[in-house]
Amino acid sequence: MELYFSPVHFIAVPLFAAFLLPLLGRISQKLVPIVPGIVLLYLSVVALTLFPHAYEAPIVEIIAGWRPPFGITLIFGPLAAFLVTMITLIGFVVWIYSYRFIIRQPLEKYYMLFMLLIAGSTGIILTGDIFNLFVFLEITAIAAYALTAFLRDHNGAEAAFKYLLIGSFTSAFVLLAIIILYANVGTLNMADIAMRMSDVPVKIKLTIMILFIVGLGIEAELFPLNGWAPDAYSQAPSPIGALFAGIVVKAAVYALMRVLFTLFDLSISSNFLIVMGTITLLIAEMSAMRQQQIKRMLAFSSIGQMGLVLVAFGLGTKEGIAAALFLMFSHAVIKSMLFFSAGYLVFFSGHKNIVDLEGMGREKPWTGFFFSLGALAIIGLPPFSGFWGKFYLLISAANSDHMLLIVLILFSAVIEAVYYLRVVGRLYFKKLHDIEVRKTPFTGLLAMGILAFVTLTIGIYPDFIHELVLPAANELLDKAAYLQYAMMGQ
């Protein structure tokens, strides 16, 4: 079947836009914020067009005619289709929000880094080559460091430096793992590596796996490697916090799972993921409850949600992985909405502390409404999408006889409800501070409204997403099928 679009577009088009924007900025500043929107709209159309084809049969793109295992391949199967479509759509909504929120110069720098982050994140998901996965990780990380320091103030620079310092360990550990891997199997194609892993001595195999878990676990916010996240989330502008929660961390989690499920035997890492995911969840939720600043609270909440996702992947069943993907989708939508609304609450109040937001729910009804709706959704109350992610996870845990795990997940949900409802209570049941209340731009309301609509719609019709994540989960589990089509043996 001939396709008019190719998965290459997801990498090439935003990369071209990133290099074009500084030149465009010299011609007209008005065009700078428009071009990324056109690019993301185009990528969303490409993703939605390729989506049904990928679910029918994975699309394998061979770069420059070099067939695997010698050349580089891009693989657009059900899992990649689900995640890449999610990233492009979330990216488009972030662009709508940024259009009036980001007004600080140089605009071309912000949008150039935005485009690099999109190209790097989609590249991580699409590539079938382990070294290219490292390259795309670096592109994403460098863009994320620079975006953290975009406001060029002391706190932003400090957070970016901390992120850079910890992120450099990601580079070192992943690169070292790839070097050892290549020295033992002599190939960089992930499918070819998977077929040769049985020849690698067990001790070396374990060393490589630990290096990958530590390296990729830093970007995936795995405890205790997530020290960069609270500062980066809280000091960066709000749309960047949404980019981190909705795109960067999701791509890193995918990279970690692709490596563990395809290159190694999952039974070795399954219990490790459940234990570390649970620890990450509990510590992050308890830390979130102690926070005085709203964006730091959202940051720790994001870390907790990633712990939940890792637990779901660790169950290793089709239902568990489907629950993890549902949680990733739900978290990307809801947490972006929370960062958007929190961004305007902080902007209007002029303060980051929760106590300074008292009464703003009544003065800023729509912004307060979207934050409250996001809070109820992320807690997991029906009829929002957050409910179904947790519900599917609890069902999967029960089917796997992990009763203690169910208790701990429910305990963390109670903690989560306490600190989110505390903020909602302050928004509506406290006296407003003496502040100048301004109007929320239409683009901000539109972006939050889209995400609220998606959260509510998926909450009412969860099967729409659940039926999409089941084939994606099957792809991650069916290693033999992945190896077959990745090596063009389909």
Side-chain angles (χ1 to χ4, degrees), residues 71-93:
I72 298 167
T73 53
L74 300 180
I75 302 165
F76 195 73
L79 180 57
F82 179 76
L83 293 175
V84 168
T85 306
M86 183 183 82
I87 284 175
T88 53
L89 291 174
I90 290 288
F92 183 67
V93 177

Side-chain angles (χ1 to χ4, degrees), residues 200-468:
V200 179
V202 174
K203 286 185 180 176
I204 294 177
K205 203 185 293 185
L206 278 173
T207 304
I208 296 168
M209 189 172 74
I210 291 168
L211 288 170
F212 271 126
I213 288 175
V214 174
L216 296 171
I218 291 172
E219 292 292 343
E221 299 181 354
L222 182 68
F223 178 82
L225 311 166
N226 48 24
W228 62 271
D231 289 337
Y233 276 93
S234 59
Q235 300 305 329
S238 295
I240 297 169
L243 283 176
F244 288 167
I247 295 176
V248 176
V249 178
K250 303 296 181 296
V253 169
Y254 166 84
L256 181 58
M257 293 307 128
R258 174 56 75 194
V259 165
L260 291 180
F261 278 75
T262 305
L263 306 189
F264 301 96
D265 183 1
L266 180 67
S267 60
I268 302 172
S269 56
S270 178
N271 289 333
F272 175 80
L273 285 177
I274 292 174
V275 172
M276 294 310 297
T278 307
I279 294 172
T280 303
L281 171 67
L282 293 174
I283 290 181
E285 295 295 5
M286 287 188 281
S287 300
M289 194 162 66
R290 296 202 309 269
Q291 298 307 309
Q292 301 302 315
Q293 292 185 4
I294 189 156
K295 285 168 73 173
R296 283 186 71 84
M297 186 196 85
L298 293 178
F300 278 106
S301 169
S302 280
I303 295 171
Q305 293 287 318
M306 285 306 100
L308 213 54
V309 168
L310 293 174
V311 166
F313 274 117
L315 292 174
T317 62
K318 184 178 176 180
E319 292 75 19
I321 296 168
L325 294 172
F326 200 111
L327 282 165
M328 285 172 73
F329 171 82
S330 179
H331 178 257
V333 173
I334 300 169
K335 196 49 65 75
S336 296
M337 181 167 54
L338 284 166
F339 271 109
F340 287 170
S341 49
Y344 273 116
L345 291 174
V346 168
F347 177 71
F348 289 136
S349 69
H351 300 281
K352 295 180 178 179
N353 289 335
I354 295 168
V355 71
D356 293 315
L357 306 179
E358 291 179 347
M360 290 198 68
R362 286 174 291 171
E363 293 296 329
K364 301 298 301 173
W366 281 111
T367 309
F369 167 75
F370 287 127
F371 184 89
S372 305
L373 191 144
L376 298 178
I378 204 79
I379 290 169
L381 295 180
F384 304 108
S385 59
F387 167 78
W388 292 104
K390 290 186 178 179
F391 176 76
Y392 292 134
L393 172 58
L394 292 174
I395 294 292
S396 305
N399 290 337
S400 304
D401 292 328
H402 286 288
M403 296 306 163
L404 177 61
L405 185 59
I406 293 174
V407 173
L408 293 176
I409 291 171
L410 292 175
F411 175 66
S412 71
V414 172
I415 299 174
E416 199 172 33
V418 169
Y419 65 77
Y420 269 111
L421 293 179
R422 182 188 63 182
V423 177
V424 173
R426 286 184 179 276
L427 287 178
Y428 289 99
F429 302 111
K430 295 285 184 179
K431 187 180 176 183
L432 181 70
H433 288 245
D434 186 20
I435 58 170
E436 179 189 355
V437 177
R438 286 166 284 182
K439 191 176 178 183
T440 306
F442 172 73
T443 49
L445 292 175
L446 178 64
M448 290 185 277
I450 291 171
L451 297 176
F453 175 77
V454 172
T455 303
L456 192 57
T457 304
I458 299 303
I460 296 170
Y461 303 104
D463 286 350
F464 179 73
I465 292 297
H466 195 238
E467 288 175 5
L468 294 178

Side-chain angles (χ1 to χ4, degrees), residues 41-214:
L41 183 61
Y42 171 75
L43 294 180
S44 300
V45 171
V46 173
L48 292 171
T49 305
L50 292 179
F51 201 97
H53 297 286
Y55 272 70
E56 191 178 320
I59 302 165
V60 180
E61 183 76 30
I62 298 172
I63 306 297
W66 290 83
R67 298 183 71 82
F70 304 107
I72 298 167
T73 53
L74 300 180
I75 302 165
F76 195 73
L79 180 57
F82 179 76
L83 293 175
V84 168
T85 306
M86 183 183 82
I87 284 175
T88 53
L89 291 174
I90 290 288
F92 183 67
V93 177
V94 172
W95 170 78
I96 293 174
Y97 182 86
S98 300
Y99 193 79
R100 293 290 301 275
F101 191 90
I102 300 293
I103 52 175
R104 176 174 292 206
Q105 296 292 339
L107 281 179
E108 55 266 39
K109 178 187 170 187
Y110 172 78
Y111 286 109
M112 181 187 75
L113 295 168
F114 188 175
M115 290 292 96
L116 285 176
L117 194 141
I118 293 290
S121 301
T122 51
I124 290 170
I125 293 166
L126 290 172
T127 185
D129 181 282
I130 195 73
F131 186 73
N132 273 277
L133 186 144
F134 170 75
V135 172
F136 287 124
L137 268 173
E138 287 300 290
I139 292 173
T140 308
I142 290 168
Y145 304 150
L147 283 169
T148 304
F150 179 73
L151 294 178
R152 289 182 289 181
D153 57 5
H154 173 76
N155 292 334
E158 187 179 326
F161 180 72
K162 191 174 180 180
Y163 190 4
L164 170 67
L165 198 64
I166 299 174
S168 62
F169 285 101
T170 298
S171 309
F173 280 98
V174 173
L175 189 58
L176 188 56
I178 293 171
I179 291 170
I180 299 172
L181 199 56
Y182 186 73
N184 280 272
V185 297
T187 179
L188 293 170
N189 182 286
M190 283 197 275
D192 201 28
I193 292 170
M195 290 190 284
R196 296 167 187 253
M197 281 302 277
S198 56
D199 299 331
V200 179
V202 174
K203 286 185 180 176
I204 294 177
K205 203 185 293 185
L206 278 173
T207 304
I208 296 168
M209 189 172 74
I210 291 168
L211 288 170
F212 271 126
I213 288 175
V214 174

